Amino acid sequence: MIALAALGIPNARSQKQLTVKVNQTKADIQPTMWGVFFEDINLGADGGIYAEMVKNRSFEFFRPLMGWDVKRKTEGDVLVVNRKEVNTANPRYLRVTANNAAKGDVVLVNEGFRGMGIKKDLRYDFSIMYHQQQPAVRLTVELIDANGKSIGGTTITPQESGDAWHKAIASFNATATELKGKLKITIEGNGVIDLDMISLFPGDTWKNRPGGMRADMVQLLADMKPGFIRFPGGCIVEGFDLSQRYQWKKTLGPIEERQLLINRWNFEFAHRPTPDYFQTFGLGFFEYFQLAEDIGAEPLPILNCGMACQFNSAEVATLDELDPYVQDALDLIEFANGDASTKWGKVRADMGHSTPFNLKMMGVGNENWGPQYVERLKIFTKAIKSKYPDFKLVNSSGTDPNGERFDYLNNELRKMNADIIDEHYYRKPEWFFENARRYDNYPRNGSKIFGGEYAAQSDKTVSVDNKNCWLTALSEAAFMTGLERNADVVNMASYAPLFAHADGWQWTPDLIWVNNLKSYGTPDYYVQQLFSLNKGNKVVPITLNNDVVAGQDSLFAAAAIDTKTNELIIKLVNASNRSQETSLSLDGVKKLASQGTLTVLQNDDLMAVNSFTEPTKVSPKQSTVKLSGKKINLSAAPYSFSVLRVKI
Ligand code: AHR
């Protein structure tokens, strides 16, 4: 077995004597310890958590009719019009001339994001912006199944006329469930109408917010109770070049005024081209903050530091042109925290959130590196800290957890006394097993660590063959025991990437997979969830022969106390193919409850994966265990991750 070459074969017969020093706090575990990393990659936002079902709703894609199938009666019946002189954010719209058009003469069909997921009996909310000199046409709006059969719809006769744009809305219920549905709009009548922002949302969005997010996907995040949510990335922060960088100010306000941007994952991988991948920003910074609040996570926005992706153009803003970038960072703090008397606090309040979002930290740069990064970072740090001295900054240590780039940055950032250093590890499972001791000898004072992006790669980074299998998850669990043990150094960690659409991904592995109807958590998801739900707030030592448990006999362990519930929480990974008996002596415990809760994630097959048909094949099973005295006998099944909670 690949990973196990790195591990010892356990002596199956002997019982392992583990000692837990329950009354010896080694470190505080931060509430932010386990979080989530969100990036609009793999159709994570558009086509994913942002529930808009119409692709290219405002005809702003590079090819204006991409995603649309247009049937005309005569040439010129349907034109793409560009008003870029008067509307730079949303220049294009559709001009439809209905020339005594009968049903079927002029038809627009939108294919959605790899189809539209339609649920029987669910309400669908259609909206459209229009402009006409006089009412003259009727629109029939229908959902159709993969065979073109109507499965619900309604009609709209736009009534307003004149020079202004108006919005028409209509809701209807679907009559069937369909994974690959489409939206069909038939235009009948005699006259001219301009159309824009053609939109369809399901009625079951998260918190039933109009124009909101997919509830099943948000629920999977909420179920993790993440300590923070990092957004909006990832490389999309940097952009292919600076013109394509993420600019949060352009993601606020009415959605028809949010200027679309190509998604850098559209063309990043020649082997996974996604030419229809754009960012419409219906999920913008306001919505990210709102999402963080909804799921009880600290918001962690990452901002561009004046450098585009160094794998791509490596374009930089000169130091004397950095001001707007720095100002974006300062303004973001005001947007999140300022009251309505401030310029940006008022923007937030006008969007419907008068109370502050209480932003405490931000990342400057994503995965940037080199002296160019350091010199820009210093300028940001000085400006932000002089205005907001207590505000925490996350700094990049580059692309890899070791090597020249890492060593240079690690050194420079520590000299700068960086608040939080963001380390990334996309490595094979062996690396995760072998690096469970990574932080045992890190400096205890000074900069804290954010394991900002990590995922075990069953094949290799950016390989399409990577799988979210039990092996990858188990290796991450082993590694994470080392993060928890070193919670005085490691204050935050998040798996990456978060979401992937089964028909539209660019990067694998990913924590959660979705199609247009369903979503499921991978084995890696359940590992993240178990750590997060069983975080505790104080690390206590757990040892085997006076050493931390970090791979001896393929065992890995961490122990924590939850002082709010008065529970001891033991996490134990058995990465061997044999069951292992352990006996835990609890030093300093006054009283132990007569039973505890044991949650086990286990599979005999390291290659086991979850899927749409078997979404919980590898998922936690909970049981009650009887305890007596002050010793705990815990049997760790082959290839298992166990979490024991017991009142003390
Ligand atoms: O998570 C996928 C990508 O990996 C992120 O966008 C980037 O930060 C890293 O290289």
Side-chain angles (χ1 to χ4, degrees), residues 37 39 41-42 230 233-238 264-265 269 311 366-367 398-399 422 424 426 453-454 461-462 495-498 507 509-510:
F37 161 99
E39 176 170 19
I41 183 173
N42 302 319
R230 168 183 172 156
C235 290
I236 62 161
V237 169
E238 302 162 51
R264 61 98 71 196
W265 299 107
F269 295 134
F311 289 120
N366 171 47
E367 222 179 33
T399 51
D422 179 8
H424 294 181
Y426 293 104
E453 293 185 30
Y454 62 91
T461 316
V462 310
Y495 183 100
L498 185 57
W507 178 297
D510 303 286

Side-chain angles (χ1 to χ4, degrees), residues 149-205:
K149 187 176 151 234
S150 177
I151 51 170
T154 186
T155 56
I156 298 177
T157 305
Q159 291 302 323
E160 305 290 341
S161 50
D163 289 333
W165 283 83
H166 299 277
K167 187 172 182 177
I169 54 171
S171 295
F172 56 93
N173 284 11
T175 57
T177 293
E178 170 64 58
L179 179 63
K180 299 277 179 188
K182 292 180 180 174
L183 175 71
K184 179 174 173 187
I185 303 167
T186 306
I187 298 144
E188 296 164 83
N190 199 23
V192 179
I193 187 164
D194 295 336
L195 304 175
D196 201 5
M197 299 302 292
I198 303 178
S199 171
L200 186 74
F201 276 85
D204 62 351
T205 55

Side-chain angles (χ1 to χ4, degrees), residues 16 50 58 117 130 139 223 266 314 316 324 336 373 386 502 506 516 578:
K16 309 291 158 357
Y50 180 51
S58 63
Y130 70 92
L139 311 182
D223 290 346
N266 179 311
V316 294
Y373 174 58
S386 54
Q506 298 80 44
N516 287 336
R578 300 181 203 170

Side-chain angles (χ1 to χ4, degrees), residues 496-511:
L498 185 57
F499 288 118
H501 190 296
D503 299 326
W505 58 272
Q506 298 80 44
W507 178 297
T508 183
D510 303 286
L511 201 63

Side-chain angles (χ1 to χ4, degrees), residues 144-313:
I144 55 173
D145 69 13
N147 300 315
K149 187 176 151 234
S150 177
I151 51 170
T154 186
T155 56
I156 298 177
T157 305
Q159 291 302 323
E160 305 290 341
S161 50
D163 289 333
W165 283 83
H166 299 277
K167 187 172 182 177
I169 54 171
S171 295
F172 56 93
N173 284 11
T175 57
T177 293
E178 170 64 58
L179 179 63
K180 299 277 179 188
K182 292 180 180 174
L183 175 71
K184 179 174 173 187
I185 303 167
T186 306
I187 298 144
E188 296 164 83
N190 199 23
V192 179
I193 187 164
D194 295 336
L195 304 175
D196 201 5
M197 299 302 292
I198 303 178
S199 171
L200 186 74
F201 276 85
D204 62 351
T205 55
W206 172 253
K207 289 190 181 282
N208 296 317
R209 287 194 187 118
M213 298 191 209
R214 249 179 80 167
D216 60 330
M217 292 174 71
V218 180
Q219 191 61 55
L220 279 162
L221 301 186
D223 290 346
M224 293 173 79
K225 294 204 189 326
F228 66 90
I229 177 166
R230 168 183 172 156
F231 57 87
C235 290
I236 62 161
V237 169
E238 302 162 51
F240 176 85
D241 62 16
L242 285 171
S243 73
Q244 291 175 14
R245 74 188 189 276
Y246 195 101
Q247 297 185 62
W248 68 269
K249 288 175 181 165
K250 294 188 177 180
T251 73
L252 307 177
I255 53 167
E256 64 272 20
E257 291 170 18
R258 300 184 188 183
Q259 193 176 346
L260 168 139
L261 186 65
I262 192 163
N263 189 305
R264 61 98 71 196
W265 299 107
N266 179 311
F267 50 83
E268 180 65 19
F269 295 134
H271 60 282
R272 298 292 301 174
T274 318
D276 54 346
Y277 203 1
F278 287 78
Q279 299 176 82
T280 61
F281 300 116
L283 169 56
F285 257 43
F286 178 84
E287 290 78 16
Y288 279 122
F289 278 111
Q290 198 175 41
L291 172 64
E293 185 174 75
D294 288 349
I295 61 177
E298 292 289 343
L300 172 54
I302 309 287
L303 295 198
N304 186 292
C305 64
M307 298 176 77
C309 180
Q310 289 159 275
F311 289 120
N312 296 159
S313 68

